[in-house]
Amino acid sequence: MENLAKHRLKKLRKLMKEEKIDAYLVLSSDFHNSEYVSGHFKCREFLTGFTGSAGSAAVLQEEAVLWTDGRYFLQAESELAGSGIELYREGEEGVEELEQYLVSHLPKGATLGVDGRTLSVERYRGIKKKLKQKQISIRLDCDLVGSIWKDRSQMPCEPVWGLELSYAGRSRKEKLADIRKQLEEKADMTFISALEDIAWVLNIRGNDVDCTPVALGFLAVDMERAVWFVQPKAVGDALREELLADGVLIKDYWEAYGFFCEKYKGKSVYLDFYKTNTMIYKKAKRFMHVKKGRNLTMLPKATKNETEIRNVKKAHMKDAVACVKFIYWLKTHVLEERITEISAAEKLEGFRQGQEHYIGPSFHTIVGYAQHGAIVHYSATEQTNVALEPKNFVLVDSGGHYLEGTTDITRTIALGELAYEQKYHYTLVLKGHIRLAMAKFKYGCSGMNLDSIARQPLWEQELDFNHGTGHGVGYLLSVHEPPNSFRSRMTKSMEECEKLEPGMITSNEPGIYLTGEYGVRIENLMVSKQIGESCFGKFMGFDTLTLVPYERDAILKEELSEKEREWLNAYHEKVFRTIGPCLDEKERDWLKDATEKL
């Protein structure tokens, strides 16, 4: 039987010939440059068979190539097997970037096709600049994958609901007023495409994107009014009246593309080129002066207010109860019953569902046993699902959305006796994790300044991991939220060089991955805060939010410094004091042993 991806590539190439398109670009995005997208927008997955959240495919008549980052190298290699699509490992030495590939593989005067609604302005400008040297034109009006995807699901249109002030901390009126204050010196209007930013401003949540509680829409804000372009049937009458009372007018989602018209001629509009799609940009540019900058909502959204921080601590307490119950269950049942990667993930979800105000997972749970733990973003399928055995590591990366906030935690759990090397690798990762949690730094530093703290114990042994050390986390929004992060490499996006502000929540997740053997990753969420001030300025540190014990049986005590042991013992004491009362007697006894001082 012909590989399904090969079959679909053949149909796409036939359509490309008819449209006189020499190369076609298929991206992972929806019309809002979201990281995770609903099934309707998974064109790249449909065409190539690669299911990772990040990746771009270029299809020519004689070849096809897919780029993805280090999180997905092993997964992509497996899923692309037999498809005829070549894997390009993004960021690796000697690997051509997408733009350079197009220049070197397309003839002068060729035509590149792409659905411009899925292409951000920033990326469009970068590609256009590169292709200019060979007079290669770009067609933005073609959704060719949509033309061959006969059973494509409809665009989601789930009910939208309002987030109460007791959870949001600030009203939508206050947030809109802040935007208008910023606009005074920037432009006549801002047009926001990022779904999380719109949800934050309007204090609404939805269910249009898997694991991200947002609603499809665009938002225009000027000095007098705000217009929310959303699917009308998704908004109930009561919420509609609330929004209208706060000066928010609702219009149909598709009217956004016709919003820019003659009446705005000569006025200015402020756009985030990383989030705005190229078709919106083209419409705006036709009538208005376009001003570039990141969304005015990004920084205040990332800098959590006192109410959000207070709530998110409650969310982490609930999540810790679920995780501790799960780890206890796993360790006491792995000998007695057949537990697979998928059934373990389902059990963990069940524990979370038992917590008050639980909304749903913040991403698809990763349970990677033994060698599967070495695949950074492994996703178990019916074909790969293996049973857990009372030996080796199992890596569990999971998170939840609660009304009180969003969680994200990774624990690498020992299911039996470990070899010395496994304990050594675990301890190196833990050392870096603890050092970053203990970091004290001057205000003005970005996560890029701090990333090496977590990598140093690994680097000293000439080891490393091929992903960022941490990412920002939203409040009942995206589990990956810019601009704060810990990264060792400069990227094109300005967002990742943002200084760390008090109230930003960032993950702390160093790791090590041995292909074919096992993986180790340890992840907590931390909130940054000011902890001191001197004549040299303000100094910052972190408050760890996650409250789940580390794998005591995998720690080589002698490899930890005195300060690292002190921090670890204090953390474990807090875990037992906070979570112990919420457990039954057997679970509490286990937790007491798991958190004993080293």
Side-chain angles (χ1 to χ4, degrees):
M1 181 180 175
E2 184 180 35
N3 180 281
L4 192 56
K6 279 187 175 180
H7 173 70
R8 289 169 177 168
L9 285 170
K10 190 183 294 182
K11 292 175 75 173
L12 179 66
R13 284 172 173 138
K14 182 181 177 184
L15 206 52
M16 288 167 59
K17 277 187 177 179
E18 292 171 4
E19 294 288 336
K20 296 182 172 54
I21 290 173
D22 301 286
Y24 190 69
L25 192 57
V26 189
L27 306 174
S28 301
S29 181
D30 57 14
F31 303 158
H32 307 270
N33 206 33
S34 304
E35 179 182 12
Y36 298 115
V37 301
S38 69
H40 175 82
F41 294 104
K42 292 184 177 179
C43 292
R44 189 223 63 224
E45 180 178 322
F46 167 81
L47 183 68
T48 67
F50 169 57
T51 61
S53 67
S56 305
V59 181
L60 285 67
Q61 284 300 333
E62 300 301 327
E63 58 185 298
V65 177
L66 182 136
W67 288 261
T68 192
D69 62 51
R71 297 171 296 169
Y72 296 111
F73 287 169
L74 294 176
Q75 179 183 337
E77 187 177 349
S78 172
E79 291 180 340
L80 295 177
S83 67
I85 301 169
E86 186 177 356
L87 173 62
Y88 273 35
R89 292 170 172 80
E90 207 168 56
E92 294 288 281
E93 191 174 345
V95 175
E96 278 186 311
E97 292 184 345
L98 183 148
E99 294 86 350
Q100 189 54 49
Y101 171 88
L102 293 172
V103 170
S104 60
H105 286 74
L106 287 176
K108 187 175 180 179
T111 299
L112 170 70
V114 62
D115 183 349
R117 298 170 300 177
T118 67
L119 180 66
S120 73
V121 181
E122 187 68 23
R123 196 163 195 187
Y124 165 70
R125 283 155 61 99
I127 292 172
K128 185 180 178 183
K129 184 178 179 180
K130 282 280 188 181
L131 299 189
K132 189 176 180 181
Q133 59 189 277
K134 290 182 75 171
Q135 289 98 54
I136 297 170
S137 61
I138 305 175
R139 269 190 60 183
L140 299 166
D141 61 344
C142 40
D143 177 14
L144 299 189
V145 174
S147 299
I148 65 172
W149 192 353
K150 299 306 179 187
D151 59 348
R152 185 177 191 175
S153 60
Q154 294 295 310
M155 266 182 55
C157 183
E158 295 293 321
V160 177
W161 49 279
L163 187 66
E164 294 178 10
L165 193 59
S166 59
Y167 299 111
R170 300 189 71 219
S171 70
R172 65 177 66 94
K173 266 191 173 181
E174 290 177 296
K175 292 176 180 180
L176 287 168
D178 284 350
I179 291 174
R180 291 183 173 117
K181 188 173 181 180
Q182 293 183 71
L183 271 178
E184 288 175 0
E185 297 179 0
K186 295 185 183 294
D188 298 304
M189 174 200 300
T190 185
F191 191 90
I192 304 170
S193 298
L195 302 181
E196 297 89 345
D197 293 55
I198 295 168
W200 178 83
V201 172
L202 299 181
N203 284 347
I204 59 93
R205 298 297 187 266
N207 194 32
D208 284 348
V209 176
D210 206 15
C211 298
T212 310
V214 294
L216 294 175
F218 300 94
L219 181 67
V221 181
D222 63 22
M223 299 309 290
E224 280 81 42
R225 63 172 186 163
V227 182
W228 184 24
F229 300 92
V230 64
Q231 297 176 90
K233 64 181 180 181
V235 186
D237 291 341
L239 181 57
R240 186 185 296 265
E241 287 176 13
E242 269 185 44
L243 289 160
L244 193 58
D246 287 336
V248 181
L249 181 67
I250 291 178
K251 290 195 174 186
D252 187 270
Y253 178 84
W254 296 106
E255 289 185 41
Y257 292 90
F259 176 67
F260 303 98
C261 57
E262 202 65 42
K263 73 175 182 178
Y264 293 113
K265 200 169 184 68
K267 292 186 178 291
S268 57
V269 61
Y270 183 90
L271 299 178
D272 185 334
F273 282 13
Y274 287 99
K275 290 293 183 180
T276 306
N277 77 55
T278 304
M279 297 304 280
I280 289 287
Y281 166 72
K282 292 279 190 182
K283 297 281 188 181
K285 195 177 178 186
R286 183 179 171 193
F287 294 102
M288 304 184 75
H289 301 298
V290 174
K291 296 193 174 183
K292 173 187 176 182
R294 70 181 184 197
N295 279 328
L296 302 176
T297 47
M298 181 185 290
L299 194 54
K301 173 168 61 72
T303 309
K304 311 299 185 288
N305 60 53
E306 289 182 6
T307 299
E308 289 173 318
I309 293 172
R310 187 168 59 249
N311 283 333
V312 87
K313 288 180 179 180
K314 294 177 184 177
H316 277 83
M317 285 179 61
K318 295 177 185 181
D319 207 60
V321 172
C323 290
V324 168
K325 283 177 175 289
F326 167 74
I327 295 171
Y328 169 76
W329 170 83
L330 186 60
K331 284 179 173 285
T332 54
H333 285 72
V334 71
L335 274 168
E336 301 171 2
E337 61 184 88
R338 187 176 186 272
I339 302 171
T340 68
E341 293 169 328
I342 290 176
S343 68
E346 290 170 347
K347 188 72 175 181
L348 176 53
E349 175 63 13
F351 283 123
R352 280 200 170 98
Q353 288 173 356
Q355 301 302 310
E356 186 183 26
H357 296 162
Y358 180 66
I359 305 295
S362 53
F363 57 96
H364 294 294
T365 297
I366 297 167
V367 178
Y369 175 64
Q371 66 267 29
H372 287 166
I375 304 172
V376 180
H377 272 206
Y378 171 72
S379 179
T381 66
E382 293 298 336
Q383 291 72 39
T384 65
N385 186 32
V386 297
L388 311 187
E389 300 178 42
K391 60 181 180 179
N392 214 324
F393 283 130
V394 61
L395 188 155
V396 183
D397 188 352
S398 67
H401 290 302
Y402 300 80
L403 283 178
E404 291 85 3
T406 297
T407 69
D408 183 2
I409 171 176
T410 306
R411 286 296 181 266
T412 303
I413 303 163
L415 296 180
E417 287 296 316
L418 299 174
Y420 178 84
E421 183 184 55
Q422 291 176 302
K423 294 180 180 181
Y424 185 61
H425 286 149
Y426 184 95
T427 306
L428 289 178
V429 173
L430 179 62
K431 284 172 68 68
H433 172 87
I434 292 174
R435 288 184 189 182
L436 184 55
M438 293 193 302
K440 188 172 185 177
F441 55 97
K442 190 176 178 184
Y443 175 72
C445 286
S446 73
M448 200 164 187
N449 300 128
L450 305 181
D451 182 272
S452 62
I453 293 173
R455 294 181 192 266
Q456 197 60 44
L458 291 166
W459 283 354
E460 287 170 1
Q461 305 303 319
E462 298 181 0
L463 300 168
D464 199 9
F465 51 95
N466 198 8
H467 58 74
T469 303
H471 55 83
V473 177
Y475 183 96
L476 189 45
L477 285 169
S478 175
V479 75
H480 294 154
E481 177 181 274
N484 45 308
S485 66
F486 300 117
R487 297 197 179 274
S488 61
R489 299 175 185 172
M490 179 71 77
T491 71
K492 292 179 181 177
S493 171
M494 62 183 177
E495 299 165 3
E496 290 167 358
C497 296
E498 183 62 49
K499 66 184 177 183
L500 292 162
E501 297 282 355
M504 285 182 166
I505 296 174
T506 316
S507 68
N508 170 5
E509 50 180 310
I512 186 170
Y513 310 93
L514 280 73
T515 303
E517 296 183 47
Y518 55 85
V520 175
R521 182 164 67 251
I522 301 171
E523 177 186 19
N524 284 348
L525 297 191
M526 312 184 299
V527 59
S528 48
K529 61 180 183 179
Q530 183 179 334
I531 58 175
E533 188 169 3
S534 72
C535 60
F536 295 99
K538 296 176 183 177
F539 286 83
M540 303 276 289
F542 299 110
D543 186 5
T544 295
L545 299 169
T546 309
L547 292 168
V548 177
Y550 303 109
E551 185 52 80
R552 203 169 181 277
D553 294 338
I555 301 171
L556 297 176
K557 177 182 175 181
E558 64 274 15
E559 294 292 336
L560 297 179
S561 70
E562 185 178 348
K563 281 190 174 181
E564 289 162 359
R565 283 198 303 273
E566 286 175 359
W567 186 95
L568 178 64
N569 287 333
Y571 175 80
H572 273 164
E573 183 184 349
K574 182 179 180 181
V575 168
F576 183 73
R577 185 177 67 249
T578 308
I579 306 305
C582 305
L583 306 173
D584 67 30
E585 186 177 353
K586 288 183 178 178
E587 293 164 341
R588 189 163 52 251
D589 287 345
W590 173 84
L591 182 62
K592 186 176 182 180
D593 290 340
T595 56
E596 274 194 8
K597 284 187 176 182
L598 284 180

